[in-house]
Amino acid sequence: MELQYALELVGTFVFAISGALAVREKEHDLFGAGFTGFITAIGGGTLRDILLDSYPLVWIGDIHFLYAILLGVVAAFIFPNLLSRLRKTFFLFDTLGIGFFTVLGVEKALSLGVRPEIAAIMGMFSAVMGGVIRDTLTNDIPILFRKEIYASACLAGAVIYLVLSYLGLERSYNLLISMSIIISIRLIAMKYKLSLPRLD
Amino acid sequence: MELQYALELVGTFVFAISGALAVREKEHDLFGAGFTGFITAIGGGTLRDILLDSYPLVWIGDIHFLYAILLGVVAAFIFPNLLSRLRKTFFLFDTLGIGFFTVLGVEKALSLGVRPEIAAIMGMFSAVMGGVIRDTLTNDIPILFRKEIYASACLAGAVIYLVLSYLGLERSYNLLISMSIIISIRLIAMKYKLSLPRLD
Amino acid sequence: MELQYALELVGTFVFAISGALAVREKEHDLFGAGFTGFITAIGGGTLRDILLDSYPLVWIGDIHFLYAILLGVVAAFIFPNLLSRLRKTFFLFDTLGIGFFTVLGVEKALSLGVRPEIAAIMGMFSAVMGGVIRDTLTNDIPILFRKEIYASACLAGAVIYLVLSYLGLERSYNLLISMSIIISIRLIAMKYKLSLPRLD
């Protein structure tokens, strides 16, 4: 459990950095970039918890998340060029992050007593809605609607976690397998520029 | 009551179809279209219930709504051309839908103990905010702000429902009359391209 | 306390006017302008209270706020040119408003038992998120992300309020000082076109 908590803080830190850097080419000042990092980091979990009436919200009940975000934003301020050059590394961290937060989101929803179908949606929301809210606020087409396979990878991983859990697989194995599937789908889709068919 | 429940599911199904089809000309993949259908179908009621602190949210407490949405999205995937050619039929269903969901939204808000003025706003929100959230996410000007009379028809119908209810009219008559007024305003406004004056 | 309540209603009235006038150059009809005024006036406090699970929402529990908004919207309808010519006066009222609502938001959050760091964020949200939601719905770049110092002034004032409160300053002095600082930062930034550095 301690490892999981540490990973949640690290994931929040990474999401805050990538959120703050996401507006580099825009007109944002430092405050706007920090705000964007904040929204990216907390948006998904906040939406999940509001939909499920689970209070206090994680970042309101535990101040460490706010400090993880502040650290991430400050890092983005001090080392923007370094961090931007590490774009590939960051993409990897971000992908690890969405895998991790998807599965944790599924587990949290289940622990609040909802049906597995709902838990799968909540897992996906935890991982991707921070970015969706960020993109909406900054007038971008949300990443969800762009061509790359992104939220659908999370949804697939969430469903697999639920199926394996139903089949009785031990939690730690299940976490690793489901996360790996999300991460693999995303990496393979990016590498080979795969995308889902369009509606036409 | 059984009829009402069936109509709510059908309305959700129709809203999901029109939401999924709304992004046809955009860059959305199948997942994005499905997500858009989902948001359109649940957005208004979800916002209403969060504002009124009414939990569990309808689609989280009753899984049938999620299946109605899935059915609608799948229908939009399989028969997009057929459904697009039925545009006029759909416009009619959508108009029936906003009339129906407005009045149900007013009733739900009243049952939670708020004042009639607030209930009228909640009725309108139930009907139109799913489309507003959808349009905002997809970077369109929300339908609410476009020229056609849309949300204002819902608000007018909500107020009429409240007045007739205050005057003691029996519920089923009131439902029919208020819905008919919303639907009539909307259809007449579309046919004769009526719009409210602008602020200038 | 009576003075504070009266000021809250006046502030809501002013926010509704500036929200309704904000869409003058757009395609909005009267309903859209009224809706925009409504969102601007209630958005920030509503988001704060949803995040903090504080129900009923202020404008749902006390109908006077809705009437203050209606009055503001009607005023914007009847006197748009007069009010637009008073732009400078309005800018001043709006600046007074964000100072006032920031400090009240901090106090409300503290009274609900959150940590001061969270209360500072909630104070800023109370003041600025109504405008952010408005700008997002109307497809503008939210004011938060534009060059002028705006939300950062609120955050600075919120932090100063908390520090002075921690140091034991009497509430009414603290309110006046913190509000004055927010208002001064904003006015000076506008006059000398100051802005925070960008991330680059």
Side-chain angles (χ1 to χ4, degrees):
Chain A
M1 255 353 225
E2 301 234 325
L3 175 65
Q4 178 180 322
Y5 182 63
L7 288 175
E8 283 187 62
L9 287 174
V10 171
T12 302
F13 170 77
V14 170
F15 271 29
I17 293 180
S18 67
L21 292 179
V23 294
R24 273 200 85 189
E25 285 108 69
K26 302 194 170 230
E27 288 283 296
H28 294 50
D29 62 16
L30 288 185
F31 180 85
F35 188 86
T36 311
F38 175 73
I39 293 286
T40 308
I42 62 129
T46 297
L47 180 64
R48 175 199 64 211
D49 290 346
I50 290 174
L51 293 174
L52 294 174
D53 197 25
S54 168
Y55 288 95
L57 301 178
V58 175
W59 57 278
I60 290 180
D62 178 351
I63 201 74
H64 293 132
F65 286 91
L66 190 60
Y67 284 111
I69 292 170
L70 278 177
L71 267 182
V73 168
V74 168
F77 286 175
I78 304 183
F79 310 112
N81 292 316
L82 176 63
L83 291 169
S84 284
R85 254 180 285 131
L86 295 174
R87 188 185 295 238
K88 284 200 173 169
T89 317
F90 251 90
F91 172 72
L92 195 67
F93 273 124
D94 188 76
T95 303
L96 293 173
I98 62 168
F100 181 65
F101 285 120
T102 298
V103 181
L104 291 192
V106 172
E107 289 191 331
K108 175 153 192 188
L110 285 177
S111 78
L112 291 165
V114 303
R115 285 180 59 118
E117 297 94 325
I118 300 294
I121 293 175
M122 293 300 154
M124 175 189 67
F125 273 18
S126 311
V128 306
M129 291 304 278
V132 168
I133 297 170
R134 174 196 66 208
D135 291 340
T136 304
L137 285 178
T138 57
N139 265 357
D140 273 332
I141 302 284
I143 189 166
L144 198 79
F145 298 126
R146 286 181 233 148
K147 277 191 188 145
E148 313 126 28
I149 288 176
Y150 182 75
S152 39
C154 297
L155 195 59
V159 170
I160 285 160
Y161 177 86
L162 289 162
V163 170
L164 293 179
S165 174
Y166 180 79
L167 296 175
L169 188 68
E170 208 256 305
R171 177 176 180 251
S172 49
Y173 291 112
N174 194 350
L175 279 176
L176 277 180
I177 293 174
S178 306
M179 277 183 60
S180 305
I181 288 174
I182 296 173
I183 295 163
S184 306
I185 295 177
R186 176 90 171 119
L187 294 180
I188 291 171
M190 287 299 280
K191 183 161 175 63
Y192 297 102
K193 299 195 190 309
L194 302 180
S195 55
L196 292 177
R198 291 187 48 206
L199 181 63
D200 53 23
Chain B
M1 255 356 225
E2 300 234 325
L3 175 65
Q4 177 179 323
Y5 182 63
L7 288 175
E8 284 186 61
L9 287 174
V10 171
T12 303
F13 169 78
V14 170
F15 271 28
I17 293 180
S18 67
L21 293 178
V23 293
R24 272 201 85 189
E25 286 109 67
K26 304 194 171 229
E27 289 282 298
H28 294 50
D29 62 16
L30 288 184
F31 181 85
F35 188 86
T36 310
F38 175 73
I39 293 287
T40 309
I42 62 128
T46 297
L47 180 64
R48 176 199 63 213
D49 290 346
I50 290 175
L51 293 174
L52 294 174
D53 197 24
S54 169
Y55 288 96
L57 301 178
V58 174
W59 57 279
I60 290 180
D62 179 350
I63 202 75
H64 293 133
F65 286 92
L66 190 60
Y67 284 111
I69 293 169
L70 278 178
L71 266 182
V73 168
V74 168
F77 287 174
I78 304 182
F79 311 112
N81 292 316
L82 176 63
L83 291 169
S84 284
R85 253 180 288 133
L86 295 175
R87 188 185 294 240
K88 284 200 173 170
T89 317
F90 251 91
F91 171 73
L92 195 66
F93 274 125
D94 188 77
T95 303
L96 293 172
I98 63 168
F100 181 64
F101 285 121
T102 298
V103 182
L104 290 192
V106 172
E107 289 190 330
K108 176 153 192 188
L110 286 177
S111 78
L112 292 166
V114 303
R115 286 179 59 119
E117 297 94 326
I118 300 295
I121 293 175
M122 292 300 153
M124 175 189 68
F125 274 18
S126 310
V128 307
M129 291 304 278
V132 168
I133 297 170
R134 175 197 66 209
D135 291 340
T136 304
L137 285 178
T138 57
N139 264 357
D140 273 331
I141 302 284
I143 189 166
L144 197 79
F145 298 125
R146 286 182 232 149
K147 278 193 187 144
E148 312 127 29
I149 289 176
Y150 182 75
S152 39
C154 297
L155 194 59
V159 170
I160 285 161
Y161 177 87
L162 289 162
V163 170
L164 294 180
S165 174
Y166 179 79
L167 296 175
L169 189 69
E170 208 256 306
R171 176 175 180 251
S172 49
Y173 291 112
N174 194 350
L175 278 177
L176 277 180
I177 292 175
S178 306
M179 276 183 60
S180 305
I181 288 174
I182 296 173
I183 295 163
S184 307
I185 294 177
R186 175 90 172 120
L187 293 180
I188 292 171
M190 287 299 280
K191 183 161 175 64
Y192 298 102
K193 301 196 189 305
L194 302 179
S195 56
L196 292 176
R198 291 185 48 205
L199 181 63
D200 54 22
Chain C
M1 257 351 228
E2 300 233 326
L3 175 66
Q4 177 178 323
Y5 182 62
L7 288 175
E8 283 186 61
L9 288 174
V10 171
T12 302
F13 169 77
V14 170
F15 272 27
I17 293 180
S18 67
L21 293 178
V23 294
R24 273 200 84 188
E25 286 108 66
K26 304 196 172 228
E27 289 283 297
H28 294 50
D29 62 16
L30 287 185
F31 181 86
F35 188 86
T36 311
F38 175 72
I39 293 286
T40 309
I42 61 129
T46 297
L47 180 65
R48 175 199 63 211
D49 289 346
I50 290 175
L51 293 174
L52 294 174
D53 197 24
S54 168
Y55 288 95
L57 301 178
V58 174
W59 56 279
I60 290 180
D62 179 351
I63 201 74
H64 294 132
F65 286 91
L66 190 60
Y67 284 110
I69 293 170
L70 278 177
L71 266 183
V73 168
V74 168
F77 286 174
I78 303 183
F79 311 112
N81 291 315
L82 176 63
L83 292 169
S84 285
R85 253 180 287 133
L86 296 174
R87 187 186 296 239
K88 284 199 172 169
T89 317
F90 252 90
F91 171 73
L92 195 67
F93 274 124
D94 188 76
T95 303
L96 293 172
I98 62 168
F100 181 63
F101 285 121
T102 298
V103 181
L104 291 193
V106 172
E107 289 190 331
K108 177 154 190 188
L110 286 177
S111 78
L112 291 165
V114 303
R115 286 180 58 118
E117 297 95 324
I118 300 295
I121 293 175
M122 293 300 153
M124 175 189 67
F125 274 18
S126 310
V128 306
M129 291 303 278
V132 168
I133 297 170
R134 174 196 67 208
D135 291 340
T136 304
L137 285 178
T138 58
N139 264 356
D140 273 331
I141 302 285
I143 189 166
L144 198 80
F145 297 127
R146 287 181 232 149
K147 277 191 186 147
E148 313 127 28
I149 288 175
Y150 183 74
S152 40
C154 297
L155 194 58
V159 170
I160 285 161
Y161 178 86
L162 289 162
V163 170
L164 293 179
S165 175
Y166 179 79
L167 296 175
L169 189 68
E170 208 256 306
R171 177 175 179 253
S172 50
Y173 290 112
N174 194 348
L175 279 177
L176 277 179
I177 292 174
S178 306
M179 277 183 60
S180 304
I181 288 173
I182 296 172
I183 294 164
S184 307
I185 295 177
R186 175 90 172 119
L187 293 180
I188 292 170
M190 287 299 280
K191 183 161 175 63
Y192 297 102
K193 300 195 190 306
L194 302 179
S195 55
L196 292 176
R198 291 186 49 205
L199 181 62
D200 53 23

